[in-house]
Structure formats: C-alpha cells, structure tokens
Amino acid sequence: MLRIAAGLGKLLVGAVLALAVLLLGTYFQVRGALPVYNGHLDAAGLKAPVEIQRDKNAVPHIIAGSLEDAAFALGYVHAQDRFWQMELMRRLGQGRLAELVPPALVGGGLVESDRTMRGLGVYRKASDSVNALSPTMRAQIEAYAAGVNAWISNEDQQFGLELTVVKLLSGGRYRPDPWRPADSLVWAKLMALGLDGNWRAELLRLRLANKIGDDGVKFLIEPAGESRDSTLSLVTQAVRGIDLDRLYRETDNVATRKREASNEWVLSGAHAVSGKPLLANDPHLGFSFPGVWYLARLVGPGFDIRGATSPGSPAVVLGHNGTIGWGFTTTNLDSQDVFVERVDPTDPNRYITPDGARSFGVREETINVAWGDPVTMRVRETRHGPVIDDFIRRTEGLPPQGHVLALQATALDGADTSAEGFGRLGTAQNWEEFLAAARRIGSPMQNMVYADTSGNIGLIAPAKVPIRRKGDGSMPVPGWTGEFDWAGFVPFDELPRVYNPPAGLIVNANARLVPDDYRHFISKDWAEPYRQRRANQLLREVERHPVYGMIVMQADNLSLDTNDILPFLLRGTARNARAARAHEMLGRWNRFMLASRPEPLIYTAWITELQRGLLADELGASLFDALAAPNVPLMVRILRDKPGWCDDGGTIQTETCDDAIALALERALDWIARRHGPDMSTWQWGKEHLAVHRHPLFDRIPLLSNFASVRFTSDGGSQTLNRASPSYRGNRPFDAVHGAGYRGIYDFSDLENSRFAMPLGQSGNMLSPWARNFVESWQNLSYIGIGGTRAETARTAIGTITLAPPQR
C-alpha cells in the first residue's frame, strides 16, 4: 500500500511539474510575442516614410503622406496587435478552419462551418469583388495587404500562442499565407451574411410549419392583422425529403447567425448645449476576446480620420474625419431568399426553370482536416445561387425526382462594390459626397446617420434592396415558376433617406425604419421597439444635451419591455409566500437592469420560464431551443389572443394562462434558489449576468480559459440601451454574450472633444498591458479621446515606429 501511495505521489508531482512547465512555456511564448512599439523598418511598398505614434492607450496615430501609405501602416499595426484574429477571420471566410485546428479540440463544428462557407462560395465572391473596385480603392487595399505582409515576412516573427499551438499541431508545417486583397473583402462578406438577410430564419419557419402548421407559423412570426401570400403548403410538400433539422443545425456558425442590434442617434444644434450637432453610436455584435473593433487615427494631407477599424480591413468603419461623422445600425434588410428548385425528372443533372430545363453548375471542393481525412463536397449552382442542401449530403447517385434548396443573396454578388463605398465615407466632406460613397454600397444595409460641422444632420440606408415579383421573402418559395423571382433593385433615390428633419432628431435602434406607406418592402424582421422608444424618450426629456448626456444615454439600463408584460405577470394572486415576495419586489421595482439588484434576475428568469411553458410543449426541444430568447411581444400576444397555448400538453389537466404564469415563477425561483440560496434579498443580477468575452480557441481549456477569456459583471439586458443580451442557453443562460463592442460620441462644435470607448483593449495578446486596459473605464463610463497634435501625442506616446521605403 505504501509503495502504491509513493508511486501515486511521484505521479502527482510529475503531473504538477509538467503543468508548471506548460504554463511557464505558455507565459514566455505569449510574452515573447508582444509587439515592439518602437523602432524603424524598411518596408517595400511604401511611397514615403510613415510615422506610427502609439498614444497612452496604445491607439496608433498614423502620420502618412497619402491614404495608400496610411493603409499600409494600418495593415502593419493590425498585424502587430491582432494577426491571429485576422487569420481566423479569413480562414472562416475561406472555409479553411478545419485544416488549422483539429475540430475535436474546439468542440467540433469546424468541418460543418467550412462546408457552409465553401458551399456559399464566400471567398470566391470576395476575390471577384476585388476586380470590381476602382483603381484608387484597389490600390489602398493592396497597400493594406502589403503592410500586413511586411509584418508577416519577418523571419524571426513570433505569431503568438494561438498560432504557435497551430504550428505544433501541424508538426511545424504551419506558416501564414501572404495577405491578399480578397482576405480584406471577406470581412465585409461575412458581416453582410450575418447582418442582412434571413435565409436560416426561412429554414426555421419551414421546420416550424412541419410541426405546427401554416397558421401557427404566421402567428409566431408576424403581428396579428398583417397578411402575406402563403405558399407554405406547396413548399412543405416539395421539401419533404430534405433533412431541414440537420441543414439548420450544421449551417449554424458565427458567420451565419443573425445579428441585429445597435443604437444611434443624432441631434441638430438646436438640441445640443453647444449649438452644433451631437452624434452617438454603439454597434452591437457578439462578445469575444479580442473584440471586433480596433481604434486608430489616420492623418495626412487632406485627411484626419479617427474611430473604429476592424482588423483585416483598411477602412475606418465608424468615426469622424474632422468635418463629418457617421454611425451605423443594422436595417435588418431581407436580402436573402431560399428558392425551392425542382430537379428535372428525366435528368438529375438538370433543374426546371420557366424557360425549360437547365444544367446545374457544378464545382468540387476539398476540405483538409487537421488530424483527419480530407472531406470532399460537390456543390451545385442554380440561376438563383448555390444549392444549400448540398452542404450536408453527397449528391452522387441521387434519384432524378425531387427538389433542392438554392440561396440567392446580395452578399454573394461578385460584382459588389460595398468595400469601396464604406472606404469612401472616411474622405467625404459633405452630404453630397457622403451620398456618393453610399451609392456604392450593396450589402449589408445599414441605417447610416450623418452630421457635419456646418450643422447638418441626415440618414441614408443604402443597399441593393430586392424587388420581388411576388411574396415578401419571409418563407422559401418555388423557384421553377419564375413568379417569385427578383425583378431588380430599388433605385438609390428611392431608398430611405432624411436630411435636416424639422424635429432635429434622428434615432434608430434596429426597430422599424420606414412608415407603413413606404412603397418598397424592406423587412418583416424589425427589432423589438423598446430601445428605440427609450432613446426617443430620453432625448425629448431634455431641451439641450451636453456630450456627457450622450454617455449617460448609452449606459441607460431601463428595460421598457417590462411595461408590456409585468401587468400580465402580476395580475394574478400569488400562490405562496415566496411568490408573494416576488410579486411585491417586482411591483416596487424601478425596472432598471442593475447588476446589484435581485429584481432583474427574478424578472428575466420568470419570462424565460414563461416562454418555455408557452412554447416548449408545442414545438419540441430542438425547435424551442432556436426560439429560447424571451420574445415579450409574442408572449403578450399569446396571453391576450391565444390562451389555448397556455395549456401544457404534457399534463392531464387544462392549465390557464394564470396557471402558466404562476408555474413559470415557481420554476424560476427554484432555479435561482438552488444557485444562490433562499434569501431573495441577497440575489444579484450581476452574479448570473457576466459580460463574457470568450477566446475562440482557449475558452474550453481548463486553467487557460480564465487566462484567455475576459468576464466581468454587467448591468443591462436584452432590451436596454446598454445592451448586454444573454445567450439563454447552457448552464449559465444569463451571461451576456452580445452587446456594444464600441461606443462613439462626436461633438461637432469641437471634434477634438469627441469620445470613444471599447470594453477590452487594443491588443489580442493575452499578456499585453493593452489587452484589457479599457475594462475598468468601460464599466465606469470613462471614455477616451483620440486627438492632439503630433507633438502633443509624442509627449505621452508609449512608442513610435517609423516605416520607410528601402534605400536604393
């Protein structure tokens, strides 16, 4: 026995030593990859020397003689701070993630993601779009790529722990490919896939139709009183042989998930203390480490552009240029349609069109898999686009009868010039030039607010908006008849636009953009109106707003959805003492989603359980999981108009809506008590509501997860201006995974007084002092400035790099 114990002791000591060596090696690997912010580099591709001053927050101020040289330097600093993030982004778009990391190490899903991206042909379309750019814009994107490559090409370059692990897993064979212009355009394609369109929502609605029928789907997806052409019966019969559940599940990845939330408002000088416009914007995307955005300033002859860039792209996406400023929210344009194509019954290599049978276009794709065998796939193309059910099955030997699903999407247009439009915004000097840049944008459709130092404000929502011959794009439609085809796009001059409105206010938070009498169809999927309503409310409460008032608004935590559903929740009599206490607390609650309070936790758990009680038995586990996020307008409609849905089909007795509400409260209180004890006064929303910025590679690895990912307590919720939306899944369903990753406030009386904020930091290196340096200031609403003269920045700079053309 003693011998065994001694052996176990040695084994334990050995394991501890091995772990210590691993952690020590990890530390030095990460530490050794920290970029140097001082020095000089001869860099081929530059026209003239460039100076990069890093201010005290590690924000680069790039001083260049031309936009091309500024783009070169931006590529260089992006690579310095975020290259592994850029590598994952372009690999996602290329459909080459599975060859980078063994799928088993990150929980699987990489092969499915690659199949989807290859099937959609995202990278092919990005490569085509490079050729659609003007010579000037193409030169900037090529200069950006040259800047990235100047960093990559250093023979002694350390690529950080993430790519070192990749190199070890590949047996030392990994070396980054050179950066290409198409790699930058992939970012825009991926954003368009997630921000515009609804193709996976159409698949979900087909799945729902199979479960609850046409009328049930109509009730779930649209307010009562709205009508549309119904083709459900025809379509559901046609796709009976397609595994819709698997197709929906396996096409779910970070690029295809719908993302819809952001806030923006712009005030004319009449509503500002300074007498000049104020513009506030905070785009919302999924949280991650590092974040999506990267602050930068580009300065040179005729330009001084400041704001948020995205590593991998040469444009300042959001910000101001000393004369104008701009911000975005997502319009939720329906720019993607699923067409049910009929296969030619006499020849499986052809499909039926209004003009007769036509051959499928066919291409072969091979996906290399780390530690696994290559995966081959055969993708067919139709006149509408790729056959999406080919992503999940082999097409060889399929029977000649049947149907397939094809996707048409503006994001997959190879002639797209959106990158040029977004790039030109930064150099526009007035409304007319802003519109000229917007005219080049095809996808994604954004509600773009505008202000300038002359006192003008405006909004334009540019995009290629499909004009459908029939239907509204909310459901898959027959493709063989031609009656549902696109008949063109809405003319630019008929797109939603406003300039210097009499009220002097423009607000959008993804809710309905256009009035009911707008003649063109934009979307059925407007966001719930609560954030937009709250912003309007706050702007009208004060006659003239200061800059700090915009910061307070961006951090507002009042959740107006409570006004709609709390009267239903509290209308019945509490059925026990604990429920009575919950009723009392929520009845007195000020409805602010504060981390320190118990009421937001009780409320969120209650409506989550209520939605489960209303829908889970009707839909089944798989379908309910796709609709797990509480939808207050839907629940109110059920409680008011469909009381039959309150009955639990799994019990003998018939439950009323009051029963469903009471049972949901009991389940919610039980769940919280198991985790936090019975004393409701000690419960806190923040203990269950952490803002979780997960590392995409290391979050699942014990010990390394806490080192790599960032978590901190957060106020807010799904419907607050300070959006911090939970996932509603897993063992921590209320952790926030979606919200603001950037906040900007631009003061047009003095643009030097503009304010910028991000939740994490500039660096993607876990040990960098600039990886998490913004967390505390983000929580304390302490924004930073990006300004000053060259000499002023130099006095507090943490480093200066000069890049210069090689001496001949």
Side-chain angles (χ1 to χ4, degrees):
M1 184 69 70
L2 290 175
R3 223 177 266 152
I4 294 173
L8 288 173
K10 290 179 181 177
L11 187 64
L12 181 61
V13 170
V16 170
L17 286 174
L19 180 60
V21 170
L22 173 65
L23 292 177
L24 196 62
T26 297
Y27 174 85
F28 283 110
Q29 172 56 232
V30 176
R31 190 79 183 170
L34 288 172
V36 176
Y37 290 159
N38 281 294
H40 173 86
L41 177 72
D42 287 341
L46 281 172
K47 294 179 178 178
V50 176
E51 186 175 287
I52 303 168
Q53 295 180 343
R54 300 271 187 166
D55 69 18
K56 61 184 180 181
N57 295 301
V59 176
H61 295 235
I62 295 170
I63 304 158
S66 67
L67 278 170
E68 283 183 37
D69 282 352
F72 184 105
L74 185 61
Y76 186 84
V77 298
H78 278 170
Q80 273 193 307
D81 285 325
R82 301 281 192 93
F83 181 71
W84 73 261
Q85 179 188 30
M86 295 163 62
E87 176 75 321
L88 260 62
M89 180 273 294
R90 69 166 166 175
R91 291 272 183 157
L92 170 63
Q94 291 169 340
R96 295 177 59 204
L97 281 175
E99 73 181 55
L100 199 65
V101 182
L105 293 187
V106 291
L110 296 187
V111 173
E112 290 78 9
S113 172
D114 285 352
R115 289 179 68 96
T116 299
M117 294 296 105
R118 296 285 189 94
L120 293 174
V122 175
Y123 194 76
R124 292 170 178 267
K125 300 301 183 183
S127 299
D128 292 342
S129 293
V130 172
N131 298 321
L133 302 176
S134 71
T136 299
M137 186 56 59
R138 183 164 181 171
Q140 289 180 32
I141 291 180
E142 288 173 345
Y144 177 89
V148 176
N149 291 330
W151 184 84
I152 292 176
S153 61
N154 183 345
E155 291 184 1
D156 299 323
Q157 192 61 262
Q158 296 290 313
F159 294 109
L161 178 61
E162 292 82 3
L163 296 181
T164 298
V165 169
V166 167
K167 186 172 184 178
L168 290 172
L169 293 174
S170 69
R173 293 186 301 275
Y174 170 77
R175 176 82 187 177
D177 295 334
W179 196 266
R180 299 178 178 87
D183 298 341
S184 294
L185 267 59
V186 154
W187 180 80
K189 296 289 186 190
L190 295 178
M191 292 296 284
L193 281 172
L195 294 173
D196 267 6
N198 70 338
W199 70 278
R200 294 187 68 256
E202 292 186 35
L203 294 180
L204 177 60
R205 289 164 187 165
L206 268 184
R207 296 172 64 207
L208 288 167
N210 289 336
K211 183 74 175 180
I212 60 176
D214 298 9
D215 291 339
V217 174
K218 290 180 186 179
F219 182 78
L220 283 179
I221 69 173
E222 61 183 28
E226 291 192 9
S227 63
R228 56 182 167 78
D229 295 318
S230 176
T231 60
L232 276 175
S233 299
L234 176 64
V235 167
T236 52
Q237 287 293 325
V239 300
R240 195 164 290 247
I242 298 173
D243 190 342
L244 294 173
D245 292 346
R246 183 182 167 202
L247 179 60
Y248 185 83
R249 183 176 64 250
E250 293 190 5
T251 56
D252 177 34
N253 63 58
V254 68
T256 59
R257 286 179 206 131
K258 186 76 173 74
R259 301 185 290 270
E260 66 176 18
S262 299
N263 302 321
E264 65 183 9
W265 50 86
V266 59
L267 294 65
S268 72
H271 296 282
V273 170
S274 69
K276 284 295 180 89
L278 291 171
L279 190 158
N281 181 215
D282 54 296
H284 305 166
L285 294 167
F287 294 152
S288 63
F289 175 84
V292 172
W293 304 106
Y294 180 96
L295 301 176
R297 179 184 184 187
L298 312 181
V299 184
F303 63 92
D304 185 351
I305 315 170
R306 317 174 199 189
T309 68
S310 181
S313 172
V316 176
V317 182
L318 301 160
H320 74 78
N321 65 13
T323 303
I324 76 161
W326 63 97
F328 299 162
T329 62
T330 295
T331 316
N332 291 316
L333 171 67
D334 185 346
S335 66
Q336 302 168 358
D337 280 350
V338 176
F339 286 89
V340 182
E341 308 285 12
R342 177 174 289 170
V343 179
D344 185 347
T346 66
D347 184 352
N349 297 311
R350 297 162 71 84
Y351 65 101
I352 304 300
T353 78
D355 303 318
R358 185 183 299 185
S359 295
F360 287 105
V362 178
R363 53 187 165 87
E364 304 287 340
E365 298 279 355
T366 300
I367 298 166
N368 294 317
V369 181
W371 296 5
D373 296 327
V375 174
T376 59
M377 62 183 295
R378 181 173 177 264
V379 182
R380 292 172 291 179
E381 294 267 357
T382 73
R383 66 193 184 94
H384 292 118
V387 175
I388 59 176
D389 41 313
D390 284 355
F391 303 174
I392 64 168
R393 65 181 178 183
R394 301 187 70 88
T395 60
E396 300 89 342
L398 287 178
Q401 66 274 12
H403 298 79
V404 295
L405 300 176
L407 174 65
Q408 184 167 10
T410 58
L412 301 179
D413 179 7
D416 181 37
T417 59
S418 297
E420 175 137 10
F422 287 117
R424 286 187 180 183
L425 295 177
T427 58
Q429 295 298 303
N430 52 53
W431 177 245
E432 289 71 26
E433 291 180 10
F434 189 75
L435 291 181
R439 190 179 289 271
R440 305 284 291 175
I441 295 172
S443 183
M445 189 181 199
Q446 299 288 284
N447 308 312
M448 296 165 37
V449 289
Y450 165 97
D452 62 35
T453 53
S454 297
N456 302 299
I457 66 172
L459 176 146
I460 178 71
K464 294 179 72 173
V465 177
I467 298 174
R468 296 169 173 88
R469 291 192 173 121
K470 184 179 179 182
D472 62 13
S474 62
M475 291 292 297
V477 291
W480 63 88
T481 67
E483 60 184 323
F484 295 93
D485 284 359
W486 295 359
F489 299 98
V490 174
F492 181 81
D493 291 337
E494 297 179 23
L495 293 170
R497 180 192 308 187
V498 63
Y499 186 60
N500 288 331
L505 297 174
I506 302 172
V507 179
N508 186 267
N510 311 110
R512 179 179 286 276
L513 175 67
V514 293
D516 289 340
D517 60 358
Y518 180 69
R519 64 182 295 238
H520 299 293
F521 174 77
I522 301 291
S523 176
K524 277 182 131 16
D525 297 323
W526 307 109
E528 294 163 344
Y530 304 115
R531 287 179 292 113
Q532 194 154 308
R533 193 178 297 164
R534 177 60 173 163
N536 272 304
Q537 183 184 86
L538 290 172
L539 288 171
R540 284 166 170 77
E541 285 179 354
V542 177
E543 185 176 349
R544 289 180 177 268
H545 293 266
V547 170
Y548 190 73
M550 304 296 93
I551 295 176
V552 172
M553 281 184 62
Q554 288 183 335
D556 184 76
N557 291 300
L558 181 66
S559 194
L560 286 183
D561 59 314
T562 56
N563 292 347
D564 287 353
I565 199 164
L566 271 178
F568 288 92
L569 300 183
L570 301 178
R571 70 185 178 185
T573 302
R575 300 189 178 185
N576 54 52
R578 186 176 66 166
R581 173 70 171 140
H583 276 235
E584 177 193 4
M585 292 173 72
L586 291 184
R588 291 188 288 104
W589 180 33
N590 64 9
R591 305 184 184 185
F592 283 83
M593 301 289 285
L594 300 180
S596 60
R597 297 298 305 170
E599 293 91 349
L601 178 56
I602 297 169
Y603 169 72
T604 306
W606 192 352
I607 63 173
T608 301
E609 288 299 330
L610 178 58
Q611 181 148 305
R612 185 185 309 279
L614 296 176
L615 298 181
D617 62 324
E618 301 277 350
L619 304 181
S622 176
L623 280 170
F624 175 73
D625 186 60
L627 298 173
N631 182 327
V632 166
L634 172 62
M635 284 189 277
V636 168
R637 283 180 13 238
I638 290 174
L639 295 173
R640 186 185 61 219
D641 303 330
K642 289 278 188 180
W645 286 42
C646 293
D647 180 40
D648 184 350
T651 63
I652 297 175
Q653 65 270 28
T654 300
E655 288 86 7
T656 65
C657 289
D658 284 345
D659 292 331
I661 290 168
L663 288 169
L665 178 58
E666 286 305 304
R667 289 195 298 268
L669 297 178
D670 285 345
W671 183 86
I672 301 172
R674 285 195 299 271
R675 297 164 75 94
H676 301 286
D679 185 354
M680 296 167 68
S681 66
T682 67
W683 295 353
Q684 292 184 5
W685 175 228
K687 291 181 179 178
E688 290 291 344
H689 190 243
L690 303 179
V692 179
H693 300 77
R694 290 189 173 88
H695 191 290
L697 294 182
F698 298 151
D699 189 67
R700 295 174 179 267
I701 301 176
L703 297 180
L704 199 52
S705 170
N706 292 333
F707 178 58
S709 300
V710 181
R711 294 169 169 83
F712 53 84
T713 300
S714 177
D715 295 324
S718 294
Q719 302 300 338
T720 54
L721 287 176
N722 176 27
R723 186 177 173 97
S725 185
S727 68
Y728 302 104
R729 292 178 175 83
N731 61 356
R732 289 193 58 87
F734 301 140
D735 274 346
V737 297
H738 187 277
Y742 165 78
R743 289 173 178 159
I745 297 168
Y746 318 132
D747 177 4
F748 289 86
S749 69
D750 177 13
L751 282 168
E752 291 290 319
N753 189 42
S754 296
R755 292 289 176 260
F756 306 84
M758 296 196 311
L760 300 182
Q762 293 283 90
S763 178
N765 185 301
M766 293 176 284
L767 282 184
S768 171
W770 317 112
R772 300 171 175 82
N773 59 301
F774 290 144
V775 171
E776 185 176 350
S777 60
W778 178 264
Q779 293 178 298
N780 295 334
L781 307 182
S782 178
Y783 292 30
I784 69 168
I786 305 176
T789 66
R790 187 174 185 174
E792 289 168 343
T793 305
R795 280 198 292 272
T796 58
I798 62 172
T800 299
I801 295 173
T802 56
L803 306 176
Q807 296 293 322
R808 298 190 181 185

